Amino acid sequence: MAETIVFLNKDALIIKSPKKSSSPVSRLIVLIFSMVFGVYICSICFKQINIQTKNTFLDIEVIQRPCYKAFIDRSQIPFLHYPNPKTFKRLECVGNPVRLFAILSMQRSGSGWFETLLNSHINVSSNGEIFGQKFRRNNISSIIKTLDSVYNLDWLTSSSKNECSAAIGFKWMLNQGLMEHPKEIVDYFNDKGVSVIFLLRRNMLRRLVSILANSYDKDARILNGIHVSHVHSHEEASKLSKYKPTINTSSLTLDLREMEVTAMKALQFFNGTRHMVLYYEDLFTNPSKLEQVQDFLKIPRMELTSRQVKIHKGALSEHIMNWVDVNKTLYGTSYEKFLQADY
Ligand SMILES: *[C@@H]1O[C@H](CO)[C@@H](O)[C@H](O)[C@H]1NC(C)=O
Ligand SMILES: *[C@@H]1O[C@H](CO)[C@@H](O)[C@H](O)[C@H]1NC(C)=O
Ligand SMILES: *[C@@H]1O[C@H](CO)[C@@H](O)[C@H](O)[C@H]1NC(C)=O
Ligand SMILES: *[C@@H]1O[C@H](CO)[C@@H](O)[C@H](O)[C@H]1NC(C)=O
Ligand SMILES: *[C@@H]1O[C@H](CO)[C@@H](O)[C@H](O)[C@H]1NC(C)=O
């Protein structure tokens, strides 16, 4: 009996001893043990995260993302990015998601005006016609390299904003390499969750007038010897619109048809992306279109403004030198609707 008591006492002593005497060596052992165990648990967690996301195209972004805010709709996750730009820090907005977009359009279809409207939004950066430079669209690898740089917020233009951009994009003309690599670009857009805004013009005859006038001004430089494609005052607009182009009526029907086919092909090629189709005419006559665009980009609605002024206003007959011929050529055809002043 006495022995058992002694034993129990000894046991009690042994159990208590680390607490009481806690030598530096044993504390170190406990510390090392808990560190090793902690690292082990962390590595298991990361492995699980990796396994969960391995099959999605997002693995890097998903692991790097800051915590999702509770209100984010999970169906939106493929469209949300948390870029880590090389050129600056996103500071207090590092946790705000960024959406990617591309405006697919054709020259003289209102894309310059549309971009100034978008850029008046505090959270939007639309970086202009970046593929206007040929070397950026030479081949698909330079196209993708350029896209990566833009979408990582590392493309510096006057419209690139600060750390709080929530939507980042640019405008891309259909004749700038886009139609040569549709498959690769659609894959890229879908992998990255890029939203596409088609900005098209219904009235291709008005577009043609604008193309011819703009092309004339490249040499004529009507405004103080400077060529401009967009103006900011009614005086400038009326000076520019005094020039009336002569339209080649022998190729007119074919030219209009070609423009329509190009637009239609683009709609087909990029139909598999998340997209919306916007017509310049609707943007002009229906202010709620801009709200639809903001909803599509999932940015807070704001009043969007632009200083640009429309150059060719009113009836087309006022803007075409050989109007009688043009009217004769299109009257009674499916393009007759283009002759009417639609806005
Ligand atoms: C693609 O174009 C870039 C720039 O024009 C050039 O430097 C590069 O060598 C080209 N790559 C291929 C694979 O042709
Ligand atoms: C928009 O920008 C403002 C100011 O820069 C910022 O406070 C806000 O969080 C941004 N909104 C979004 C949705 O990122
Ligand atoms: C008008 O179009 C026709 C047919 O395409 C072409 O042969 C002719 O050279 C064009 N005329 C002018 C002045 O460009
Ligand atoms: C785009 O796809 C939808 C659904 O598959 C189809 O109904 C529509 O006709 C397509 N549009 C074009 C322009 O190909
Ligand atoms: C176009 O031509 C038709 C037929 O000659 C004529 O009735 C119509 O008034 C013309 N339209 C305009 C806007 O000149």
Side-chain angles (χ1 to χ4, degrees):
M1 281 295 270
E3 229 183 75
T4 320
I5 290 167
V6 170
F7 191 77
L8 276 175
N9 275 345
K10 253 187 190 169
D11 247 358
L13 265 176
I14 291 166
I15 292 164
K16 275 183 171 174
S17 74
K19 242 191 212 168
K20 269 192 175 168
S21 64
S22 72
S23 73
V25 174
S26 58
R27 264 194 260 168
L28 196 65
I29 291 172
V30 170
L31 183 68
I32 290 174
F33 178 75
S34 52
M35 276 168 63
V36 169
F37 194 64
V39 168
Y40 173 71
I41 289 181
C42 276
S43 72
I44 288 183
C45 290
F46 277 122
K47 254 184 212 155
Q48 282 176 345
I49 292 174
N50 259 326
I51 288 164
Q52 279 170 6
T53 59
K54 203 167 208 152
N55 291 329
T56 79
F57 45 81
L58 280 169
D59 32 357
I60 292 166
E61 276 106 324
V62 172
I63 293 167
Q64 282 182 347
R65 79 182 182 218
C67 305
Y68 282 133
K69 288 168 188 157
F71 56 80
I72 283 179
D73 171 3
R74 296 199 73 84
S75 72
Q76 290 302 308
I77 289 172
F79 301 103
L80 305 181
H81 293 261
Y82 299 86
N84 189 10
K86 296 191 188 91
T87 42
F88 66 98
K89 292 259 175 289
R90 295 189 63 216
L91 301 175
E92 83 266 25
C93 284
V94 73
N96 287 13
V98 174
R99 285 163 193 277
L100 316 181
F101 69 89
I103 304 161
L104 307 195
S105 191
M106 296 163 95
Q107 280 85 0
R108 312 312 293 175
S109 299
S111 63
W113 172 54
F114 181 58
E115 261 202 326
T116 58
L117 287 166
L118 280 183
N119 277 323
S120 73
H121 193 295
I122 187 169
N123 301 114
V124 180
S125 305
S126 194
N127 290 286
E129 212 169 304
I130 59 170
F131 288 109
Q133 300 271 5
K134 202 162 180 308
F135 70 92
R136 292 184 192 136
R137 56 174 207 256
N138 257 351
N139 51 53
I140 188 67
S141 37
S142 31
I143 289 178
I144 284 177
K145 197 169 139 227
T146 305
L147 291 175
D148 280 344
S149 171
V150 173
Y151 289 140
N152 200 43
L153 303 180
D154 281 324
W155 198 265
L156 298 179
T157 66
S158 57
S159 43
S160 50
K161 297 238 166 53
N162 50 28
E163 55 277 2
C164 290
S165 293
I168 174 100
F170 66 99
K171 61 171 174 161
W172 199 346
M173 298 298 139
L174 300 188
N175 59 0
Q176 292 173 347
L178 198 57
M179 307 292 277
E180 278 96 71
H181 311 280
K183 178 160 184 335
E184 292 92 335
I185 294 166
V186 167
D187 286 349
Y188 182 95
F189 282 177
N190 286 339
D191 281 357
K192 293 266 183 176
V194 177
S195 297
V196 170
I197 300 172
F198 284 103
L199 177 58
L200 300 171
R201 197 162 176 165
R202 285 203 185 89
N203 193 329
M204 297 292 185
L205 181 60
R206 288 195 91 100
R207 178 171 174 248
L208 186 58
V209 169
S210 183
I211 291 172
L212 293 171
N214 184 55
S215 162
Y216 170 79
D217 190 66
K218 278 189 183 130
D219 292 326
R221 302 180 198 182
I222 295 169
L223 294 180
N224 308 319
I226 299 164
H227 168 58
V228 294
S229 296
H230 305 287
V231 296
H232 293 141
S233 77
H234 294 285
E235 291 82 10
E236 291 171 329
S238 80
K239 270 187 203 161
L240 280 190
S241 68
K242 282 213 174 73
Y243 167 73
K244 295 186 185 189
T246 303
I247 290 179
N248 187 342
T249 48
S250 27
S251 62
L252 179 57
T253 317
L254 206 68
D255 290 345
L256 295 175
R257 177 89 199 119
E258 234 163 53
M259 290 182 194
E260 279 190 341
V261 167
T262 305
M264 218 150 55
K265 261 197 204 154
L267 287 172
Q268 280 168 359
F269 284 171
F270 296 92
N271 200 14
T273 60
R274 176 177 190 262
H275 65 274
M276 76 178 287
V277 182
L278 199 59
Y279 285 98
Y280 169 72
E281 286 84 354
D282 296 342
L283 205 53
F284 211 80
T285 53
N286 181 356
S288 80
K289 284 285 164 194
L290 283 177
E291 292 176 356
Q292 288 175 27
V293 171
Q294 296 179 73
D295 294 350
F296 177 72
L297 294 176
K298 303 252 189 324
I299 48 177
R301 279 191 194 176
M302 274 183 64
E303 181 77 25
L304 304 183
T305 56
S306 170
R307 289 171 52 234
Q308 286 193 12
V309 173
K310 187 167 164 54
I311 297 171
H312 295 99
K313 288 176 276 246
L316 255 189
S317 52
E318 299 302 309
H319 299 300
I320 296 175
M321 187 62 93
N322 55 337
W323 170 255
V324 173
D325 281 352
V326 169
N327 185 22
K328 214 168 25 187
T329 308
L330 298 184
Y331 201 80
T333 74
S334 61
Y335 295 123
E336 189 182 320
K337 56 184 185 288
F338 293 165
L339 296 165
Q340 282 126 39
D342 34 15
Y343 55 91

